[in-house]
Amino acid sequence: MQQLLITGANRGIGLEFTQQYLAQGWHVYATYRQQPGEALAALACDQLTLLPLDVTEDDSIADLQEQLNGAELDLIINNSGVFGPKDQNLGTVSRQQWLEVLNVNSVAPLMLAQALHENLRAKGGTFAVLSSRMGSIEGNDGGALYLYRSSKAAVNQVVKSLSIDLKQFGINVVALHPGWVQTDMGGANASINTHTSVNGLRQVITKIVPANSGQFINYDGTAIAW
Ligand SMILES: NC(=O)c1ccc[n+]([C@@H]2O[C@H](COP(=O)([O-])OP(=O)(O)OC[C@H]3O[C@@H](n4cnc5c(N)ncnc54)[C@H](OP(=O)(O)O)[C@@H]3O)[C@@H](O)[C@H]2O)c1
């Protein structure tokens, strides 16, 4: 049976990934930060293992590693992320808020990869990070959004180095853009729903091979400029 570990599965894109991979017959290790929400708890079945994880806590990552007990995974999706304060214009940026966003969006994915990449070795699996087009330096024509943009640009560089370092173990690493998605983060006016985004991302993930490891890919399969 194919196996996925996904972070931030309580809501939004992470919850939808959990639903869709369960429907495809995968075993899903789905993590939540505090308590599993109603929607996640309602998915309870033999294929689903719910585990607590705060990606900013090293002890929490170590506990997760222990509970996985060497489980051989096909896929890890670092989905958890934060946007930070709504107003991220020049003149409003606070050091503490910026560091909090960097901690979740940029530092945590590397800490997770450090702890869990061995679980991907047996099956030559994939480590996928939910990045954002907002992290594209070439695509930045709007300015502002300092905290979020810089955190996703930083994690893109983490993805690139991981793809090089983990190649020797047959592990592929990619940065994914889910589109502008109707979630708590994306808001109600976003252009696509979670079903469309995750359906597209699953097709993208299926096609990941060593030749496209280290790329930044949109949910529709097109490449995004760094
Ligand atoms: N929605 C969009 O339009 C969009 C666009 C581009 C990229 N993305 C990226 O896609 C990913 C998912 O976004 P979303 O729209 O589904 O966001 P969301 O609805 O705000 O959900 C974010 C998830 O991340 C979890 N999380 C936050 N901090 C965490 C921590 N310290 N430890 C563990 N989990 C934590 C949250 O857990 P709690 O439920 O406990 O808070 C929640 O489950 C994010 O990385 C986001 O940056 C989203």
Side-chain angles (χ1 to χ4, degrees), residues 7-14 31-34 53-56 78-83 104-105 130-133 148 152 176-187 190:
T7 68
N10 235 4
R11 56 194 168 100
I13 294 168
T31 77
Y32 57 90
R33 186 158 40 160
Q34 282 152 352
L53 175 68
D54 184 326
V55 295
T56 62
N78 187 119
N79 163 76
S80 45
V82 292
F83 186 77
V104 178
N105 293 358
L130 267 285
S131 178
S132 170
R133 193 188 283 279
Y148 190 69
K152 294 299 189 180
L176 301 174
H177 173 60
W180 183 25
V181 192
Q182 292 149 12
T183 63
D184 292 343
M185 186 185 295

Side-chain angles (χ1 to χ4, degrees), residues 135-170:
S136 167
I137 290 173
E138 202 167 319
N140 184 354
D141 51 13
L145 294 179
Y146 290 93
L147 287 63
Y148 190 69
R149 283 191 194 281
S150 64
S151 72
K152 294 299 189 180
V155 82
N156 285 349
Q157 190 63 275
V158 167
V159 162
K160 193 72 190 183
S161 277
L162 277 172
S163 73
I164 294 164
D165 292 344
L166 297 179
K167 194 177 180 145
Q168 59 186 312
F169 305 121

Side-chain angles (χ1 to χ4, degrees), residues 16 39 82 114 136 162 171 189:
E16 182 69 30
V82 292
Q114 276 193 164
S136 167
L162 277 172
I171 298 170
N189 295 329

